[in-house]
Amino acid sequence: MNVGVIGAGYVGLVTGACLADFGHTVTCVDADADRIEGLCRGALPFHEPGASELVHHNVAAGRLRFSHRLKDGVAGTRVIILAVGTPDDGAGSPDLTQLDRAIVEVARELDGYHVIAIKSTVPVGTNRRVSELVRAHLLQPARVDVVSNPEFLREGSAVGDFMRPDRVVIGSNSAQASAIMRDLYRPLYLIDTPVVCTDPETAELIKYACNAFLATKISFVNEIANLCDEVGVDVHVVAKAMGLDKRIGPKFLHAGPGFGGSCFPKDTRALATLGRRYGVPLRIVESAIAVNIAQGEAVVAKVAAAVAGLAGRTIAVLGLAFKPNTSDVRESPAIHLCIRLVEEGAIVRAFDPVACASAAAVIEADAVTYAESAYEAADGADAVVIMTEWNEFRSLDLHRLQGVMRDAVIVDVRNVLDPARVRSLGFTYVATGRRAPLVAVERAAR
């Protein structure tokens, strides 16, 4: 099948490369000519494990190509996938400007029959509005079915998520369009992937409901972690026991600085806004958002307490991406921390294996010094703060770290280190929800 993907960003590029690997012929289109030029040279605009190899393989096989001309993603295609950005508009709703612009341009190129699949995260009712927009801007006779096909890709494991998904959601009122979309994902039938076929409005809401529920789990365990700190209980043991309950499950029960990234923050705000618009306040979702904001400030307070005041202190921040295995710093708790530390008068040195350049693009110039390694960042520091759970931070040479720091203080926001070992070396060790006496923790774990 010939497929056009409009938008060669995170979702669009991974989607296009994976569909090409399924055997389809895919053209990825993006208005950013520099991005397309880079992709044609084999340079990806972001870090994602496995994506570069997948792109290079399918380009070489002739199944994947790139263009900055929109008509190249429309002509001769059966399915056109929209994967453009829908960022927060500043008032809690998604900004659909890019989507609307893409729809109008696509409509002007259409003839014959096409399926337009919306993979961008959009509010309920967008499918219907897009269908009307397409009809209003057709320049020649064409028949179009608009399908909602939300993505569920996790940054850092997006290729695996696409190739081995928990489910595929197809929202359509057209039997023909649904059949074509099923054919698009036919290779997934071999691994018995569930396919949920429903109406467009339900498909649109499924994406928001899933993200909001996962974000709520994160906020819940962070509140439990804060309580653990006060009552002397280890949140690791609490979360492990919770996760063993099959009704709850262990995923997203890791205490830390709160959720970030391109999806959870904006999607929870969008869902809360949608609820208020329809007179159905989503109090649990709104509480999850409020807890997440408070958790960011709690981290600032925790660091300040660990060094007895931030003014003039040198703080090494390890990890800038919102999660490991990605260069994405959008709404990263680490970025918030760096900005707040600077505001409080601290000197901030930071290191991330892949996200320093991304961070430098969003933090005021010269506010933060970026190091080439964790040890360079920690040189002369009053405290090291671990903000992203990169594997290399789990195996830090603590003797070397202690040797370069001014004061042996570690604030392990992600709980990646062994408290007993760190403290045995003479460090002041502060974690998230792990203030319990070790004997009690070991007894509880048994």
Side-chain angles (χ1 to χ4, degrees):
M1 189 183 303
N2 290 335
V3 179
V5 178
I6 312 303
Y10 194 89
V11 173
L13 185 57
V14 171
T15 296
C18 289
L19 288 176
D21 211 58
F22 283 176
H24 302 298
T25 301
V26 180
T27 302
C28 284
V29 177
D30 199 283
D32 187 336
D34 291 337
R35 170 169 292 189
I36 293 299
E37 181 184 353
L39 287 168
C40 289
R41 289 187 283 103
L44 270 65
F46 51 78
H47 175 82
E48 177 62 36
S52 181
E53 295 82 355
L54 198 67
V55 167
H56 293 161
H57 170 71
N58 285 285
V59 167
R63 293 188 295 266
L64 179 63
R65 66 190 185 107
F66 305 102
S67 175
H68 66 273
R69 300 187 307 175
L70 186 132
K71 65 180 181 181
D72 291 338
V74 176
T77 61
R78 175 62 68 205
V79 177
I80 302 165
I81 295 174
L82 295 174
V84 299
T86 53
D88 194 304
D89 66 358
S93 295
D95 183 350
L96 302 182
T97 302
Q98 295 179 57
L99 180 70
D100 289 350
R101 184 184 304 120
I103 284 296
V104 170
E105 293 178 4
V106 166
R108 290 170 176 166
E109 299 291 339
L110 293 175
D111 62 354
Y113 176 70
H114 295 268
V115 174
I116 295 178
I118 303 175
K119 197 162 279 291
S120 304
T121 302
V122 294
V124 176
T126 301
N127 184 295
R128 189 184 324 110
R129 193 175 64 81
V130 164
S131 297
E132 296 169 355
L133 203 58
V134 169
R135 288 194 293 271
H137 289 87
L138 290 173
L139 297 182
Q140 48 197 329
R143 192 163 64 88
V144 181
D145 283 320
V146 180
V147 173
S148 294
N149 180 218
E151 54 87 14
F152 300 96
L153 305 181
R154 297 169 297 168
E155 294 188 48
S157 56
V159 173
D161 287 345
F162 196 100
M163 296 296 197
R164 297 175 295 279
D166 294 327
R167 74 293 203 195
V168 172
V169 176
I170 298 170
S172 176
N173 294 318
S174 163
Q176 181 180 6
S178 294
I180 290 172
M181 292 300 293
R182 281 178 169 273
D183 194 43
L184 185 71
Y185 291 106
R186 184 168 298 278
L188 297 180
Y189 294 173
L190 297 175
I191 57 174
D192 296 322
T193 300
V195 178
V196 179
C197 287
T198 183
D199 59 86
E201 291 79 9
T202 302
E204 290 165 337
L205 186 55
I206 285 171
K207 172 58 185 278
Y208 281 113
C210 289
N211 279 359
F213 184 80
L214 295 175
T216 300
K217 285 187 75 173
I218 294 172
S219 284
F220 178 84
V221 79
N222 281 336
E223 285 207 305
I224 294 298
N226 294 340
L227 180 60
C228 287
D229 273 335
E230 297 306 316
V231 299
V233 172
D234 189 335
V235 72
H236 271 194
V237 181
V238 175
K240 181 178 180 180
M242 289 176 62
L244 291 172
D245 188 325
K246 293 181 175 60
R247 298 168 300 174
I248 298 173
K251 294 184 178 180
F252 293 87
L253 287 179
H254 302 287
F259 55 79
S262 62
C263 293
F264 284 6
K266 78 177 183 69
D267 290 355
T268 49
R269 291 192 295 263
L271 186 58
T273 300
L274 184 68
R276 289 192 296 271
R277 182 179 303 149
Y278 281 88
V280 185
L282 303 177
R283 296 182 180 89
I284 293 175
V285 177
E286 291 176 348
S287 294
I289 296 168
V291 168
N292 199 58
I293 294 170
Q295 194 71 5
E297 286 304 302
V299 172
V300 178
K302 184 169 290 190
V303 177
V307 296
L310 292 170
R313 302 291 190 180
T314 298
I315 309 297
V317 176
L318 303 187
L320 295 166
F322 83 96
K323 64 182 292 188
N325 298 320
T326 180
S327 56
D328 195 346
V329 300
R330 284 175 288 184
E331 304 219 32
S332 169
I335 299 299
H336 172 78
L337 175 67
C338 288
I339 292 171
R340 290 288 290 112
L341 291 176
V342 171
E343 288 175 348
E344 295 295 325
I347 300 164
V348 179
R349 289 207 295 268
F351 168 72
D352 187 285
V354 301
C356 285
S358 300
V362 298
I363 296 177
E364 185 177 345
D366 301 324
V368 172
T369 300
Y370 300 96
E372 295 293 326
S373 71
Y375 307 102
E376 182 183 320
D379 191 6
D382 294 287
V384 163
V385 185
I386 301 176
M387 287 296 293
T388 310
E389 62 272 38
W390 287 96
N391 280 336
E392 67 181 79
F393 299 155
R394 299 180 188 276
S395 56
L396 286 169
D397 183 336
L398 296 178
H399 292 286
R400 181 180 175 187
L401 196 69
Q402 193 173 41
V404 300
M405 294 179 68
R406 178 182 298 139
D407 198 1
V409 177
I410 294 178
V411 181
D412 184 5
V413 181
R414 294 287 187 175
N415 294 340
V416 302
L417 302 178
D418 176 10
R421 178 168 180 266
V422 177
R423 289 175 179 138
S424 72
L425 295 175
F427 283 92
T428 297
Y429 179 74
V430 181
T432 301
R434 305 198 73 186
R435 199 177 290 174
L438 291 176
V439 174
V441 172
E442 290 166 359
R443 186 183 304 119
R446 288 198 298 269

